[in-house]
Amino acid sequence: MDIDNENYPGGFYKLLRQLEKKEVPFVDPLSALPAADTDLAILFRPLTNPAPASATQKDLTSHHIAHKWQSLREEFAGDPEIWALHALCIAILRRREAPSEARALFLRIWAEHGTTLAARLPTRWLISAAATFADHGETIDRGLAGKGCRCCSI
């Protein structure tokens, strides 16, 4: 088979290697998460434009949580800060060996503010939330609901 005519340049093996890289756990993921008892309601204030990455942050690999947190803060600038925190929890949970604190925070965000998130989050992040519920839901029913929503979005 001619490599230029493949659906996945480099073949299926290369595609799997790329997916594997995306599952490498973040370095120090808990350093970006707030305390377990943080008042989530105050996180509905808009994120201000984040400061540009410092030289130290620029030296961080894409596997360090500070790098991911910076990029999410940039993506959600002007939106409620809780959206960025929600996305950070999802990013952490999509990796291998995700800390239980990220799961607990993700579930708490939805338990306390799910109605607001469901009404206002961008579609991309609602789909990501459904996929995360499919893998990390508290109950079988919530996991199945997440799987159903994930399948409908494809």
Side-chain angles (χ1 to χ4, degrees):
M1 176 183 276
D2 181 10
I3 199 161
D4 291 332
N5 292 327
E6 292 181 5
N7 287 334
Y8 302 108
F12 190 67
Y13 176 76
K14 184 175 179 185
L15 178 66
L16 287 178
R17 296 290 297 154
Q18 288 173 330
L19 291 174
E20 258 181 36
K21 282 183 186 178
K22 288 185 173 194
E23 291 181 359
V24 172
F26 285 110
V27 174
D28 200 15
L30 296 179
S31 67
L33 296 179
D37 61 350
T38 293
D39 179 7
L40 297 176
I42 65 170
L43 298 179
F44 278 91
R45 65 181 179 251
L47 266 172
T48 56
N49 287 335
S54 67
T56 306
Q57 288 175 319
K58 288 178 183 176
D59 292 338
L60 296 173
T61 69
S62 62
H63 295 298
H64 197 285
I65 197 64
H67 182 270
K68 184 64 175 180
W69 185 226
Q70 177 71 19
S71 70
L72 289 170
R73 290 181 61 80
E74 290 170 6
E75 178 179 342
F76 289 103
D79 293 323
E81 184 175 357
I82 199 163
W83 291 9
L85 180 59
H86 171 261
L88 183 68
C89 289
I90 289 172
I92 292 170
L93 291 170
R94 291 287 180 86
R95 304 286 179 115
R96 289 189 306 265
E97 302 168 23
S100 60
E101 292 88 346
R103 179 180 182 268
L105 183 57
F106 172 81
L107 294 173
R108 183 174 160 227
I109 288 170
W110 277 95
E112 293 179 19
H113 301 287
T115 303
T116 303
L117 289 177
R120 296 184 55 212
L121 266 177
T123 303
R124 169 186 177 213
W125 289 103
L126 288 173
I127 292 168
S128 291
T132 304
F133 270 112
D135 296 332
H136 299 281
E138 290 178 293
T139 65
I140 290 173
D141 289 342
R142 288 191 180 170
L144 290 173
K147 283 180 181 27
C149 289
R150 181 171 56 188
C151 291
C152 292
S153 67
I154 295 176

